[in-house]
Amino acid sequence: MTDAHFDALMNAALLQKFPHGTVLIREGELPDFLHIIVEGSVELYAEWDEREVTLDILRPISTFILAAVIRDEVYLKSARSLTPSRILMIPAEAVRDVFGRDAAFARAIVNELAIRYRSVVRSLKDHKLRTSAERLANWILEVDRQQGGSGRIVLPHDKRTLASRLGMTPENLSRNLASLSEHGVVGSGREIIVTNRDALQRRAKPDPLIDGS
């Protein structure tokens, strides 16, 4: 975007600190702000008929929820801080105003929405085409890559949240983790250790059309 439009958005923005467990937005409400995670992590979740499911875990630097802000429509997800977090909050009306006046910013928004759409399709394929054990195996490979590929993974959040994110119960998560011991995985508290990456790869069968490159 142009420097002038960037300055206008930043002058209108608020940088706020939130403790762990703070509900930041609620599904069904209209957006007042575009939220940008500067530090910490945020859980996107949804509730229905006394049930709750984790939809995504976001880390810096990520926005939420862009589609609702641009469309000026209600949130389809809620969000809460998983850790103490710093969030940059830009008024939704200001974002829409610049979106309508700055072609470069509009292209960047469309590109970001396209990335999010493709991420949703990959996640849908992951849940529809794979068993829960396969989802867990691929999650372990991806997080190990994100954490440097040492083979020693520190869980970024509690196991209940992980289970919900992967579409299983905590009990199923424990059983699947135990089953992966035959494929080079050892779980110990908040750590997962990959002892045989080739065996885990064979079990996970990663696919670039699901997992990305």
Side-chain angles (χ1 to χ4, degrees), residues 11-194:
N11 288 335
L14 305 170
L15 183 61
Q16 302 249 350
K17 292 183 178 180
F18 296 96
H20 165 263
T22 303
V23 175
L24 303 167
I25 63 172
R26 293 187 184 276
E27 57 187 317
E29 295 180 350
L30 284 169
D32 293 322
F33 296 94
L34 175 65
H35 295 73
I36 302 174
I37 306 169
V38 178
E39 292 178 2
S41 59
V42 170
E43 175 189 13
L44 300 182
Y45 66 99
E47 299 171 289
W48 183 79
D49 195 25
E50 300 184 355
R51 280 173 273 179
E52 181 179 300
V53 63
T54 301
L55 299 171
D56 205 356
I57 307 293
L58 302 179
R59 294 179 180 81
I61 294 175
S62 302
T63 64
F64 66 95
I65 296 176
L66 186 56
V69 168
I70 294 300
R71 296 277 302 171
D72 194 18
E73 293 183 349
V74 298
Y75 295 121
L76 300 181
K77 297 174 273 192
S78 300
R80 62 183 164 223
S81 54
L82 272 181
T83 62
S85 301
R86 283 203 307 158
I87 309 291
L88 185 68
M89 302 165 60
I90 305 176
E93 186 174 350
V95 173
R96 288 192 294 271
D97 177 62
V98 175
F99 176 77
R101 294 191 292 121
D102 190 315
F105 183 56
R107 286 194 297 271
I109 292 286
V110 170
N111 184 63
E112 177 70 11
L113 291 173
I115 291 171
R116 296 295 177 87
Y117 168 76
R118 291 174 67 82
S119 176
V120 169
V121 172
R122 291 182 190 279
S123 179
L124 184 62
K125 291 172 69 175
D126 185 46
H127 280 72
K128 292 287 190 179
L129 294 173
R130 286 174 169 157
T131 67
S132 56
E134 289 168 342
R135 292 198 298 275
L136 177 59
N138 279 281
W139 181 87
I140 291 171
L141 288 172
E142 173 58 19
V143 174
D144 181 47
R145 183 191 66 79
Q146 293 174 1
Q147 295 187 4
S150 68
R152 184 179 295 272
I153 297 167
V154 178
L155 294 182
H157 37 71
D158 62 86
K159 288 184 177 179
R160 182 174 294 276
T161 301
L162 173 59
S164 182
R165 175 67 184 89
L166 294 176
M168 61 186 84
T169 65
E171 294 76 17
N172 282 338
L173 175 63
S174 296
R175 284 194 290 269
N176 284 324
L177 192 55
S179 75
L180 291 179
S181 63
E182 301 176 5
H183 305 278
V185 173
V186 176
S188 176
R190 293 290 295 268
E191 283 191 340
I192 295 175
I193 300 170
V194 179

